[in-house]
Amino acid sequence: MVSATSPSAADGRRVALLTLGCARNEVDSEELAARLHADGWQVTTDGEGADVVLVNTCGFVEKAKQDSIQTLLAAADTGAKVVAAGCMAERYGRELADSLPEAQAVLGFDDYPQIGARLDAVLAGERIDAHTPRDRRELLPLTPVSRRGSAVSLPGHGTPEQPTTDEHTPAHLRQVLRRRLDSGPVASLKLASGCDRRCAFCAIPAFRGAFVSRTPDELLAEAEWLARSGVRELVLVSENSTSYGKDLGDPRLLEKLLPQLAAVDGIVRVRASYLQPAETRPGLIEAIATTPGVAPYFDLSFQHSSEPVLRRMRRFGSTARFLELLAAARELAPGAGARSNFIVGFPGETRADVDELVRFLTAARLDAIGMFDYSDEDGTEAADLPGKVSAATIKRRYDRLSALADELCSQRAEERLGTTVEVLVDSVDGGTVEGRAAHQAPEVDGSTTLVAPPTGGVDLAALRPGDLVRATVTGTEGVDLIAVPDEMISAAPSGTR
């Protein structure tokens, strides 16, 4: 439990917490870290000297699952006890335990509230039976507004077991069940868990469960806590951020929450991610594009643009509709950033469908494009669809579209030459200052390297992580920018510099 009175880890039990996969997993790991710290464990992200290595696995696609397996095997080589948690562990349970004897335990989400006791048992040599996977959507009521208060474990939604506050307590006095695992100026804030959509290619709802929002007071309390720890940018994450608030009785709640988060003292940028195009309403577009302190950034999950393919995916939209959505955002914020992911080779995809996707990508002017080659996923509708595209054809299409995406994103970066961007400094290393403009999300969208101005401007040597500067773009390297800092907008607090 993160608070001034949290007990210290005095008895020497040491756990290394390794996180794979998405930003949502990172939030889950920091909740696990808080629970473990409260139970007297020393928590680290370095496996050296650990008694237990806890791997928060990813179970999204085949490559992620293989990465999780390799990490678990490498952890076993250290001589520490190895425990698998996270999405892959939740999704496969006993099957994973049987195929991976190197792991002393495979824990599901229902084990998270008792994670300290579970690791105590592992360290004592006790056997913990792996759970039997189940469709977690069935654990919550079908009607979203009936889900509040259900006794279902929701990773990243943790609250202290014995809270000393109530709904009337100001945000800055509320306890937060989270312990940061790094000290960078950016942190993810989980809006919600689960998803009610039924995309044919996606298994996530089955093991993450139905959609459940966190309340605004919980989010504001955590945002203030993160700001006090030195965080300057909040990245709002979930499986589907555009659904936020529907189970709280207000589907427009994200529009109202964004300016409140941006007003938190110390926060200079709020970034929304994981937007569903079919649910991105005009009011939300306006809130993202025009609210001071909110990045005009649209992380839109298009997946394809051909209507026949989208229908087979159980999704909605088209090239024309998606271009209209982007145009609406850019009318309000001409320099708005936009990114998306796409699947190539979905069952039934034809050459005409690929040509339609090429048409969309060429017109969309996206800043970042994630291209994925289709593969069957256990338990998904798409795995049983007819019209499978051959592996050789998928590879050929993937290679073609990946090359096109790289070219188009480089062209989009070049369009920013001579423009002014606001750059949040992420790191300073040996004189190299790296940061991100508003259209660049952490890890996935490229970065901006700040270089010394010929005369005047901002002293490069004085910049520190967390500083927000205004800069002029002078060069590009693929999707990455090179910029000269012109003025300081907001310096990081001295205690974090």
Side-chain angles (χ1 to χ4, degrees):
M1 191 180 305
V2 177
S3 71
T5 57
S6 294
S8 62
D11 61 2
R13 294 172 299 160
R14 182 180 174 89
V15 54
L17 184 45
L18 310 183
T19 307
L20 303 175
C22 64
R24 301 183 295 274
N25 256 16
E26 293 172 4
V27 177
D28 297 350
S29 285
E30 294 195 344
E31 180 187 304
L32 290 172
R35 292 185 183 278
L36 288 164
H37 180 75
D39 285 340
W41 284 81
Q42 294 181 27
V43 183
T44 178
T45 57
D46 182 359
E48 185 175 352
D51 300 296
V52 177
V53 177
L54 175 60
V55 182
N56 188 352
T57 61
C58 179
F60 181 37
V61 293
E62 188 59 35
K63 183 180 185 304
K65 289 183 277 189
Q66 290 302 319
D67 288 345
S68 295
I69 293 293
Q70 292 303 318
T71 302
L72 288 162
L73 292 174
D77 290 340
T78 68
K81 305 281 189 181
V82 177
V83 175
C87 291
M88 188 176 182
E90 174 64 37
R91 186 176 180 184
Y92 293 103
R94 168 54 59 190
E95 180 183 346
L96 177 62
D98 289 343
S99 64
L100 195 72
E102 292 85 354
Q104 277 68 45
V106 174
L107 304 180
F109 296 149
D110 292 333
D111 292 302
Y112 282 22
Q114 295 82 38
I115 188 65
R118 297 291 185 269
L119 296 199
D120 286 341
V122 167
L123 200 56
E126 299 176 21
R127 175 183 173 82
I128 300 176
D129 290 332
H131 72 289
T132 300
R134 52 186 173 173
D135 189 333
R136 294 189 71 85
R137 291 171 293 192
E138 298 174 357
L139 301 181
L140 289 165
L142 185 62
T143 305
V145 294
S146 302
R147 294 172 187 164
R148 298 301 306 173
S150 299
V152 175
S153 180
L154 299 170
H157 290 232
T159 55
E161 301 299 328
Q162 295 180 320
T164 58
T165 58
D166 59 27
E167 68 272 15
H168 304 296
T169 304
H172 69 280
L173 296 179
R174 289 174 178 265
Q175 292 177 295
V176 173
L177 192 63
R178 183 167 179 175
R179 183 176 179 82
R180 294 202 70 198
L181 294 173
D182 67 58
S183 58
V186 184
S188 296
L189 181 64
K190 181 175 278 194
L191 290 174
S193 287
C195 185
D196 289 339
R197 301 187 71 87
R198 295 294 183 267
C199 300
F201 54 83
C202 185
I204 289 176
F207 58 84
R208 275 290 184 177
F211 186 87
V212 180
S213 301
R214 299 178 69 195
T215 60
D217 58 332
E218 292 173 3
L219 294 168
L220 288 166
E222 190 164 319
E224 293 200 9
W225 178 83
L226 288 167
R228 291 196 300 273
S229 74
V231 170
R232 304 276 279 163
E233 178 177 328
L234 299 173
V235 181
L236 310 183
V237 300
S238 70
E239 274 74 31
N240 177 8
S241 297
T242 39
S243 282
Y244 178 71
K246 72 176 187 178
D247 52 325
L248 302 177
D250 187 354
R252 299 172 63 91
L253 199 54
L254 182 56
E255 300 165 31
K256 301 171 184 177
L257 179 65
L258 285 170
Q260 292 178 280
L261 291 171
V264 170
D265 187 32
I267 298 299
V268 296
R269 180 185 287 163
V270 177
R271 183 185 304 277
S273 61
Y274 301 104
L275 307 176
Q276 283 289 342
E279 299 178 28
T280 304
R281 301 167 299 279
L284 181 58
I285 294 174
E286 182 178 1
I288 293 173
T290 66
T291 303
V294 175
Y297 172 83
F298 293 85
D299 175 17
L300 294 156
S301 177
F302 291 132
Q303 302 301 344
H304 214 283
S305 73
S306 168
E307 285 193 81
V309 175
L310 288 167
R311 298 304 173 269
R312 284 193 294 275
M313 288 179 169
R314 294 198 179 277
R315 296 176 67 85
F316 303 95
S318 65
T319 293
R321 291 182 181 179
F322 292 162
L323 290 177
E324 288 172 2
L325 178 57
L326 290 168
R330 287 167 176 154
E331 183 177 0
L332 295 169
R339 78 166 330 272
S340 191
N341 295 325
F342 299 88
I343 298 174
V344 182
F346 191 79
E349 183 188 67
T350 66
R351 282 180 289 182
D353 295 325
V354 175
D355 290 342
E356 183 66 4
L357 180 54
V358 168
R359 186 171 80 88
F360 171 71
L361 292 174
T362 303
R365 296 169 57 234
L366 298 174
D367 293 277
I369 297 170
M371 200 65 66
F372 296 87
D373 49 344
Y374 172 81
S375 62
D376 289 336
E377 279 295 312
D378 300 334
T380 63
E381 180 184 351
D384 297 322
L385 286 178
K388 292 291 171 56
V389 181
S390 72
T393 299
I394 290 176
K395 183 180 186 307
R396 187 166 60 251
R397 293 176 181 175
Y398 171 81
D399 290 345
R400 173 194 173 193
L401 287 166
S402 293
L404 175 64
D406 289 345
E407 178 183 352
L408 292 172
C409 291
S410 295
Q411 291 175 6
R412 175 60 177 152
E414 290 171 1
E415 291 179 19
R416 298 188 183 275
L417 283 168
T419 65
T420 299
V421 293
E422 294 186 357
V423 178
L424 181 74
V425 176
D426 284 330
S427 65
V428 179
D429 184 8
T432 300
V433 182
E434 290 284 340
R436 289 169 299 100
H439 69 281
Q440 296 171 320
E443 308 294 337
V444 292
D445 291 344
S447 64
T448 298
T449 301
L450 296 176
V451 296
T455 58
V458 175
D459 180 7
L460 205 66
L463 291 176
R464 297 292 182 269
D467 289 341
L468 182 69
V469 301
R470 187 170 287 109
T472 300
V473 180
T474 58
T476 66
E477 294 180 358
V479 297
D480 299 326
L481 304 182
I482 300 168
V484 173
D486 301 316
E487 63 176 316
M488 179 74 73
I489 299 173
S490 175
S494 58
T496 63
R497 295 164 65 85

